Amino acid sequence: MRLSNRQKAVVTTVLVVLLIGMMLGFAEGTVRFRQWLADGHSGKLSDLFVQQGDLRTLLPDARTRTISVNSLGFRGPPLTQPKPAGVLRIAFVGGSTTFCAEVSDNTMTWPHLVSEAIQNAYPDRVVDYVNAAVPGYTVKSSLLNYHRRVVPLDPDITVIYHATNDLSWETRDLARQQGIYGEQENQRPSWLAEHSQLWHLVVKNLYIRAVQNDASKASERLDFVPSELGSHFRKQLTQLVMQAKQVSEVVALVTFSHQIRAEQTAEQQLTAAASALYYMPFMEPRSLIEAFQRYNQIIAEVASDTGALLISGDEIIPGTSEYFNDTVHFKDAGSRIMARRVSQALLNDPGLKLSAVGITRDN
């Protein structure tokens, strides 16, 4: 049976559409499989969370290949509530950089490694921990989370690690005031980007490439004085420390590590700053470095003002892709060094003494 030219055109069009669909389907499957290999899940990380009023928390008992959530809704091993007598409990407070979705499994998060190091140093004690971090949390979010969900767990030590989310919120607000960051830049992803990991990845990478290119030019940038940043961050961080001191014998503030370094070449800085520029496209590497330095200065000052233990050494972790997954999130190697600097500072604190009945501060 011979087909007319029109029928041939229709058949050809259908075959081409089917072929393109198959290719896109294969590409989508490949992206999701690679994501599963890297992150332990093929969907969105947000699928692990639930909104509880004004606070986003983890779904109790949620699981991916690399992330396990306990029955209380915290990433990590099971916790007994109320805390058993004689247990030394550590609470870790922060955002995605403490949650550590980028590491290979629960045992490679730096909170787990810190707890493990303290357990090894005091084998006669039972040590457990609460990873109270949730991606996207600012200090304000952690204040609510700590009051509602961490205080009842009675942590003996509280470790606080915050900066980048508060910095993003503050600088975006300044950029809006200066008319260089509008609502269109903060809009929700398209339906296609919400449902296709392939399309989301393409759009995100194209946007990052565009802001990197823009950041390398003398285009419109956020105008700010570093010393004037962080007033809200200081106030809320102080409130969080004082709240934690009502529960924990030891409260530690950790200065913030990031991949961008002043000694890097301009090209290296742009690469290291990629994810930060995604959320703060009006910045450039030099201003990001200055802003992070300012926030670390505030962390140190709040520690001094409140009597919290300051854990510095944020540049001990090398600023390379071997240790950082992006601008601020650790890979396994970075998480190990982060855990080492935190655990050593806790164990070397001259005011800290672990005893059979708990923690006391020497007078």
Side-chain angles (χ1 to χ4, degrees):
M1 180 178 177
R2 300 187 63 180
L3 298 176
S4 66
N5 289 336
R6 183 176 180 180
Q7 290 173 322
K8 289 179 180 179
V10 171
V11 171
T12 301
T13 301
V14 170
L15 290 175
V16 169
V17 170
L18 287 174
L19 180 60
I20 292 173
M22 291 174 62
M23 292 174 64
L24 289 174
F26 177 77
E28 178 75 22
T30 300
V31 168
R32 288 179 177 267
F33 180 67
R34 289 184 63 184
Q35 180 181 335
W36 182 84
L37 289 176
D39 302 331
H41 60 94
S42 59
K44 296 174 293 183
L45 186 62
S46 59
D47 294 338
L48 295 176
F49 305 100
V50 61
Q51 194 70 31
Q52 294 186 344
D54 54 354
L55 193 64
R56 187 174 74 155
T57 61
L58 284 157
L59 283 167
D61 298 315
R63 294 284 188 276
T64 72
R65 187 177 59 83
T66 60
I67 297 172
S68 297
V69 181
N70 62 34
S71 61
L72 298 179
F74 299 102
R75 181 177 188 182
L79 285 166
T80 301
Q81 184 184 17
K83 183 181 70 177
V87 170
L88 173 62
R89 179 163 288 171
I90 312 170
F92 297 90
V93 179
S96 59
T97 50
T98 304
F99 182 80
C100 296
E102 296 75 17
V103 299
S104 57
D105 59 44
N106 273 24
T107 64
M108 284 308 304
T109 66
W110 65 265
H112 180 93
L113 294 171
V114 168
S115 302
E116 192 174 66
I118 294 179
Q119 178 68 82
N120 291 338
Y122 294 91
D124 294 333
R125 295 295 307 277
V126 175
V127 178
D128 68 12
Y129 71 94
V130 185
N131 187 341
V134 175
Y137 268 22
T138 60
V139 176
K140 182 178 180 180
S141 309
S142 285
L143 270 165
L144 292 173
N145 191 48
Y146 196 88
H147 175 70
R148 295 177 188 175
R149 304 177 66 238
V150 180
V151 168
L153 296 174
D154 192 24
D156 302 288
I157 302 172
T158 296
V159 179
I160 301 168
Y161 186 62
H162 265 297
T164 188
N165 292 333
D166 291 86
L167 177 61
S168 294
W169 280 106
E170 180 177 11
T171 55
R172 285 202 295 266
D173 186 51
L174 288 174
R176 278 190 286 267
Q177 294 176 29
Q178 295 178 20
I180 59 175
Y181 185 76
E183 291 302 322
Q184 68 276 8
E185 281 130 321
N186 199 29
Q187 63 185 356
R188 289 178 58 84
S190 65
W191 181 91
L192 189 56
E194 283 277 1
H195 294 83
S196 169
Q197 294 297 93
L198 173 64
W199 186 248
H200 172 75
L201 189 62
V202 169
V203 171
K204 183 175 181 178
N205 285 337
L206 287 175
Y207 182 73
I208 289 175
R209 183 70 60 87
V211 296
Q212 283 180 312
N213 185 56
D214 189 44
S216 67
K217 300 177 181 178
S219 56
E220 197 171 29
R221 301 285 97 200
L222 181 67
D223 182 21
F224 70 96
V225 178
S227 62
E228 296 178 356
L229 289 177
S231 59
H232 290 291
F233 178 66
R234 180 193 298 275
K235 179 181 178 180
Q236 291 170 347
L237 187 62
T238 300
Q239 291 174 346
L240 179 57
V241 171
M242 298 311 294
Q243 184 180 86
K245 286 174 74 72
Q246 295 178 17
V247 183
S248 297
E249 189 69 28
V250 177
V251 178
L253 285 173
V254 188
T255 55
F256 199 80
S257 294
H258 50 83
Q259 190 180 171
I260 328 166
R261 305 294 162 86
E263 67 273 12
Q264 293 170 335
T265 66
E267 183 178 356
Q268 288 173 331
Q269 287 181 343
L270 277 175
T271 300
S275 66
L277 292 174
Y278 178 79
Y279 295 104
M280 296 174 276
F282 40 78
M283 300 286 269
E284 47 90 24
R286 178 190 57 80
S287 61
L288 282 169
I289 292 171
E290 292 175 348
F292 277 124
Q293 287 175 341
R294 172 57 178 165
Y295 267 55
N296 276 338
Q297 179 186 7
I298 291 172
I299 291 169
E301 291 171 355
V302 170
S304 176
D305 292 343
T306 61
L309 171 65
L310 176 66
I311 302 178
S312 55
D314 43 276
E315 291 203 349
I316 290 175
I317 305 169
T320 68
S321 59
E322 179 183 352
Y323 300 91
F324 285 89
N325 187 67
D326 50 35
T327 307
V328 296
H329 297 99
F330 301 124
K331 291 182 177 178
D332 284 8
S335 187
R336 289 191 190 96
I337 300 178
M338 175 68 173
R340 193 178 309 141
R341 77 174 175 113
V342 173
S343 60
Q344 287 178 351
L346 290 173
L347 292 169
N348 291 334
D349 179 13
L352 182 72
K353 181 172 66 175
L354 302 179
S355 68
V357 296
I359 305 177
T360 59
R361 278 198 173 277
D362 296 330
N363 296 320

